[in-house]
Amino acid sequence: MLELEGQLPNQEDSKGNVYSSLSLKSLPSYANGQWFTAQADFRTVYHAVTGEPVYQVSSHGLDMQAVVNHAKKQGSKIASWTFHERANALKQVAQYLLERKEEFYELAKATGCTRKDAWIDIEGGIGTLFAYSSIVRRELSNETALVEDSWIPLSKHGTFGAKHILTSKAGVAVHINAFNFPIWGMLEKIAPTLLAGVPCIVKPATEGSEMTQAVVKHIVESGFLPEGSLQLICGQIYDLFDYLGPQDTVTFTGSASTGQKLRAHPRFNQYSIAFTMEADSVNSAILTPDANEETIDLFVREVFREMTSKTGQKCTAIRRAFVPESLLATVQEKLIVKLKKVVVGNPELENVTMGALASIKQKYDVAEKVELLNKDAEIVLGSHLRHDFTVEGTDSEKGAFYPPTLLVCHKPTEAEYIHQVEAFGPVSTLMPYQDLNQLAALVALGEGSLVASVVRNTNQNIEQLIANIAPWHGRLHILDAQNAKESTGHGSPLPHLVHGGPGRAGGGEELGGLRAVKHYMQRTAIQGSPNVITQIGHSWTAGSDYFEDRVHPFKKSFDELRIGERLLTARRTVTEADIVNFGCLSGDHFYAHMDKIGAEDSFFGERVAHGYFIVSAAAGLFVDAAPGPVIANYGMDNLRFVEPVKIGDTIQVELTCKQKTPKPQKDPEQKPHGVVVWDIKVKNQRNELVATYDILTLVERE
Ligand code: NAP
């Protein structure tokens, strides 16, 4: 952990960080609605390839209390936007950034990565914005609060019940990010935060902060987000935590030691401030026992990719590679052949396949960690020395280069460091295992990881292995010949899937679709009468008041319809002819409908109508056949057949307007419309519910 405060200008610390007074470009922060440039306490960032100073960073003098207040006063406007308005703004931001991506690629050069590596950060980050925007537009209604479940009855006569709702926390989310993904690291966190209606303060790692800052600059210029909903602190956060309160959230990505120190801030304990941490993770890859040639090659490909992509500086990178003892020599040989072909050097050269680490500090750090790993394992390729390898197109002494380094640990059960220490560079350790029980125990020695890959023969059953290792991971990637071409790979966190892991990995959870959005919202159980739950959730709840009109609801436009508007249909008696005709029409001759003798021995004791007939007959009762504003029926949710309908029973339908969601008009040629959800209840002559479901229709607007 770096102690940044109290450093004198031009002083170098033990890890090579220089606190400089050089006349360099200073990176301003964006806070309190303006760009702020500090005057002192600078830290210099050096070009990862050439070692030249590039810019300096400081937030000295920034009033952190004002930053927090600005977010809460101005930025909180985003909470008044609906989910769809937030999602649309995010999509516009993503489009705006995509059009300017080359600027970010240019800046990425100073961080030592190849264009392919930078793609993960830049376009992977922008893609996460697009994906989140679309998840929210698809899965949430156009409201400011999220109703989580349907009516939970709490009384005998249905006048008292509950629903859980989620509302935007009335605070700010502070995101402290690591150096390895300056753009994706910010965007993957601000997307769910802003969608939840919560303003953010982002503090990027000093290394790479120029890229984060460029993105924030464009987001601010774009004007798509409310002022104050995104602030940026380039430099230290000083006393910012002292101003956080009970509605605030902090996320952290970086080293476990920093994370643990920050998490111990007394304010977090005092106000139960949610602190999500993602830290050093000693992730695994496993080759299963009956691996064939193809499986071995897949395994080697994956380990190789994770060692070299982003110069091994990915939080998900494979640090421990477990192989059956009998295959150790084969895997080692194949991996070395591939790793020897890696061309390390200036990533601007076309033949270079692996660039530099992010900084000289990282180079020292990786070397120190490899020295520790070397106490348990033999180095079979690469080095813990820093200069004895070839670097293309630049001076290896000045840049933050490190060779691909493979270790082999023959006695992993006795190892002290292999399962604990993460060398955050192109470094991985191969180790043998005897059987699946020992393997699961070895994996668990990592004390919790973000991800593991299991590479198996397509038909091998690995259910027990998964059951044993799943509790130690946030994600498991199972690779085999069937999915090899399409797999997104071990190292890619995806917006739809959970990213995080237990124990050493920090205990946090990011991404995972709506799960991440909910992290920034407060869940509240609302108890009350059906009427109040309908009012609060903007969705009709059974037992609430309803309205009847002489005009059929299918004759009304989206805007005319009111939530709670109901149609009680005519009745229909179900006859044997109905059942026989439906059986013939559909081809469904199931004995419970068509076989008198079989049906007598059945659960129902006599023939009953097809459930699908009841749904069809219900439509026949509630539909208004003439052309009108209803464009189409596009789905049905939550269908339950509650009671059987027997020959001679009489059914009737209650159709109630439950929820309305306007749809954005993508095509000007298209008529404006919205989705109307109708609550359908089919009852029999004893007023018993026989079927219940929701239907979804597209209805024209005025
Ligand atoms: P770090 O030193 O823990 O820094 C992480 C973040 O915390 C940076 O933004 C850093 O800002 C900030 N920070 C440091 N001290 C702070 C303090 N006292 N108060 C508030 N913020 C503070 O980690 P790193 O140097 O970026 O990476 C070190 C190691 O972390 C790596 O070698 C790797 O093992 C691990 N790592 C893990 C992941 C993961 O996702 N699992 C990702 C990246 C790194 P400054 O940069 O301004 O100091």
Side-chain angles (χ1 to χ4, degrees), residues 144-185:
T144 53
L146 194 166
V147 180
E148 214 174 27
D149 36 30
S150 47
W151 173 252
I152 302 164
L154 297 171
S155 66
K156 206 168 163 189
H157 301 292
T159 59
F160 185 64
K163 281 189 185 185
H164 288 94
I165 66 161
L166 288 109
T167 46
S168 311
K169 286 191 175 181
V172 60
V174 178
H175 298 308
I176 300 176
N177 292 335
F179 66 85
N180 54 339
F181 287 108
I183 294 182
W184 177 85

Side-chain angles (χ1 to χ4, degrees), residues 1-5 17 19 43 57 175-181 184 188-189 203-209 233-238 241 252-259 261-262 277-283 313-316 319 359 361-362 365-366 369 421-425 450 499 504-506 510:
M1 223 297 294
L2 290 169
E3 284 301 334
L4 302 183
E5 285 172 78
N17 298 289
Y19 299 86
R43 200 172 136 192
V57 181
H175 298 308
I176 300 176
N177 292 335
F179 66 85
N180 54 339
F181 287 108
W184 177 85
E188 63 113 5
K189 285 178 178 166
K203 184 252 174 287
T206 295
E207 304 291 348
S209 49
I233 299 175
C234 293
Q236 298 171 62
I237 57 167
Y238 296 101
F241 286 170
F252 169 83
T253 307
S255 64
S257 55
T258 309
K261 185 177 150 184
L262 298 186
M277 174 162 144
E278 200 209 307
D280 320 10
S281 167
V282 200
N283 310 297
Q313 300 168 104
K314 286 202 305 192
C315 48
T316 47
R319 305 300 176 197
S359 66
K361 175 195 160 216
Q362 275 308 112
D365 188 66
V366 173
K369 301 281 171 56
V421 172
E422 181 181 32
F424 209 65
L450 296 171
H499 175 55
R504 183 184 307 284
E510 294 169 6

